[in-house]
Amino acid sequence: MTAYALAHLRRSESVHPAVLEYMSRVQATLDPFGGRFLVHGGELDVREGDWPGDVVLVEFPDLARARAWYDSPAYQEILPLRADHLAGELVLVDGVAPGHSAAAKAARLAG
């Protein structure tokens, strides 16, 4: 099942040079695991709550490959370039199967 790396990264007044280096190197860490950017910053239209930052969404073929990417020596090597200079959160999460129904899930939870 498709999985995702979802990051909420806080904006800073200027982009640190280390973050630019991270950005120039991150794709090479994703490629061996089938990772591809679906969202990388972009205009936000916040409809509920506060969202002080940007969204990054990377798709992987499955959660095992998303975990393998994050834990890989190549990614761990560049991670401090971003994490030391740009606050935020990152989660790895499974997607849903085709035909997923929120109503069916609610019925199972109520069950």
Side-chain angles (χ1 to χ4, degrees), residues 18 21-22 25-26 28-29 68-84:
E21 181 181 347
Y22 169 90
R25 295 174 59 188
V26 70
T29 72
W69 160 73
Y70 189 86
D71 295 336
S72 71
Y75 186 67
Q76 289 299 306
E77 179 183 322
I78 69 167
L79 177 57
L81 296 171
R82 177 189 56 76
D84 289 352

Side-chain angles (χ1 to χ4, degrees), residues 29-94:
T29 72
L30 294 167
D31 289 342
F33 303 97
R36 69 181 189 100
F37 284 97
L38 298 180
V39 177
H40 196 188
E43 183 178 341
L44 290 173
D45 182 1
V46 178
R47 298 294 178 110
E48 297 181 28
D50 294 323
W51 196 275
D54 293 307
V55 175
V56 177
L57 181 63
V58 179
E59 178 184 58
F60 291 91
D62 53 50
L63 192 54
R65 282 184 260 197
R67 288 177 174 143
W69 160 73
Y70 189 86
D71 295 336
S72 71
Y75 186 67
Q76 289 299 306
E77 179 183 322
I78 69 167
L79 177 57
L81 296 171
R82 177 189 56 76
D84 289 352
H85 304 285
L86 192 59
E89 298 81 30
L90 183 138
V91 297
L92 304 177
V93 61
D94 260 331

